[in-house]
Amino acid sequence: MAQKERARRRPPDATTTGASESWLEVLGFGESSALEDSSTIDPRLAEQSDGRTDDSSFLSRQARRLIHADDSAHQRVYRTYLTARASLGLALALAQLAIDLFSGGGPSLLLGLCGAYALQSMVLRLWTAGDTRSLGIGRRRIRWWMTVGVDLLAFSAMHWVAPTATLNHAALLVLPVLMAGVLSARVPALATAAAASLLLMAAAWHRAMDGGNLTVLLSQAGLAGMGLFVIVLVAGQMAARLAREERTARGSLELARQQAELNRLVIDEMSDGVLVVDRRGRVRAANPAARALLSERGACPPAPFSLASQPGWGRLQEAVAGAYQTNQWPAAGMDLTVAYADESPRSLRVRARFTRGARLGHGAAPTGGQRSDEMLVLFMEELRTVLARQREERLVAMGRISAGIAHEIRNPLAAVSQANALLQEDVLRPDQQRLVRIVADNVERLRRIVDDVMEAAPGGHSPSRTIDVTAEVAAICAEWARTENLALGSDSRLRVLLPKEPLGAIFDPDHLRRVLVNLLENGLRHSSDRPGSVLVILEPLDGPFVRLAVASDGEPIRPEVEPHLFEPFHSTRSRGTGLGLYICRELCGRHGASIDYLRRPDERHSNLFQVVMQRDAVTAEGRLHL
């Protein structure tokens, strides 16, 4: 089976091609071929490749030229044949006319035959000047054989009428025999050569009846017929070989076009920007992501364009020129700043590879001798995206490690807590009681840290559901105020502004409690002692959103601290874990909500944290837990 499969996939050659194959059959122009189709390329792909100057569009144009003109081989041969016979007919008529005029005998029958042949050949050439691909293969074969048959009869008649004329008309039989060997299969071509040989022998017999030497004349006719057979065999073999090579080249070009089109589609869908730049700093190809990185407003022109066309691309152009000169590019990439026209600068992380020849070195001496057709392929990403991805990867790894460590700490921590509780049952001196309280306080602190780490660890997501966020926030604020010994009322440090109607939002009650309590504790810790120093606001927003805001009147958070508010293990307090706001962000993200910090130095409540949740209709089920 494997041998059969290999034989099926192997291109036909002189050993595997049948003896009766013609040039056209080798090219696939048989009765069952797809010759009736004008193209085998998807028109949508053809339209997509129009207007581009990259390699894929070049291959597409070449493939369309070959496959759209699927019968270009026989069309060229047949039209050349028609042109040659028209020129030959005109030359024969003029030559015979000159012979008759100089001989003084007047117009002869041979001149009439030559003139009729010249007229017929020129009319047929003009008639087939257009494209004949719309004709079926059967009609075209009839036309070919009619042309070959007319030539056989015309040249044979010329030779029959004037066998001893100045012009040797028998030699003209080579033309139809040659074309039969090229355009038809071997058996019909040999039949054509046999017909021409019989006509030569019949003419020799007729000449012998008029007093010629029969043996000599038949020998000459036989040798000429053998030559015609040799011409048929050689022409058929050469034509078949050329046709197979053309078919192989056409198939290879189509495969290359398909691969180039596939590569183009993959590159266009890449999130990374890809630029192909030549030695002169001219961009030969650019995918949509690269053009978007070079111009955030979409003003970057399609390739080809020059990096020197924009002053803001100067650093990128210099880096490309340096790579071509030194054959070096940093292994981790190069951070460059680019800008288009009046747009704001953008920082990019750029990596590079050469298409062929020399390989990029990292610190090696220049190798020199680079090929002139080398292209530098640039892979670009926005630096902010790269840093965010790296930070996210570090956070995930750190979260998993921290969760594992926290899980292992729980058991010995429980043992310490139990032992400390047993010590408290005994009668202890005052100094011992103080030590026991210190142990208990630190055990409780470690337990909170472990709980925070486990909460921030990946996995364990609680399902979201619709809750009455108005009732939830009221209950959480009241319970928290009692825990913190805050009196409720107009003189309280806590002020809560809630809508009068139930307000539905998508969240989890326990997670909402965790987020709101964390924000309230931070607000109380960094606020003054005045009434209303901590403000809680719940309100609907335009669209399907609900906003929960917690504001405090303390000093605004410093600008250098603000970018790190939601990072894990970042705290401004010596006894803080730095996980509170990070856990709030993780919990909000699990339920499709967002949390942000707003710095308002001109207002009383200068620090404001807001949680924006997705709004939903409140049902009876959403209020069962109240």
Side-chain angles (χ1 to χ4, degrees), residues 58-97:
F58 168 76
L59 290 172
S60 297
R61 290 195 303 271
Q62 292 294 95
R64 289 201 306 274
R65 181 183 63 83
L66 285 177
I67 298 179
H68 283 187
D70 50 4
D71 55 349
S72 59
H74 83 273
Q75 285 290 334
R76 291 194 303 268
V77 173
Y78 184 57
R79 288 177 181 173
T80 302
Y81 175 37
L82 294 179
T83 303
R85 67 194 298 272
S87 302
L88 179 60
L90 182 61
L92 284 174
L94 293 177
Q96 189 61 41
L97 177 61

Side-chain angles (χ1 to χ4, degrees), residues 205-227:
W205 182 273
H206 179 270
R207 185 178 175 186
M209 294 297 98
D210 293 338
N213 190 333
L214 179 61
T215 304
V216 174
L217 294 175
L218 289 178
S219 299
Q220 293 176 351
L223 290 175
M226 293 176 60

Side-chain angles (χ1 to χ4, degrees), residues 8 22 118 128 140 145 149 163 174 193 208 249 253 259 269 308 335 342 349 482 510 522 562 599:
R8 184 180 65 84
S22 67
T128 57
R140 273 183 282 182
W145 282 114
V174 173
L253 187 58
Q259 185 64 42
E269 295 298 326
D335 296 339
D342 298 331
R349 174 70 57 83
R482 289 192 298 269
D510 293 335
N522 287 341
E562 184 176 345
R599 191 167 178 267

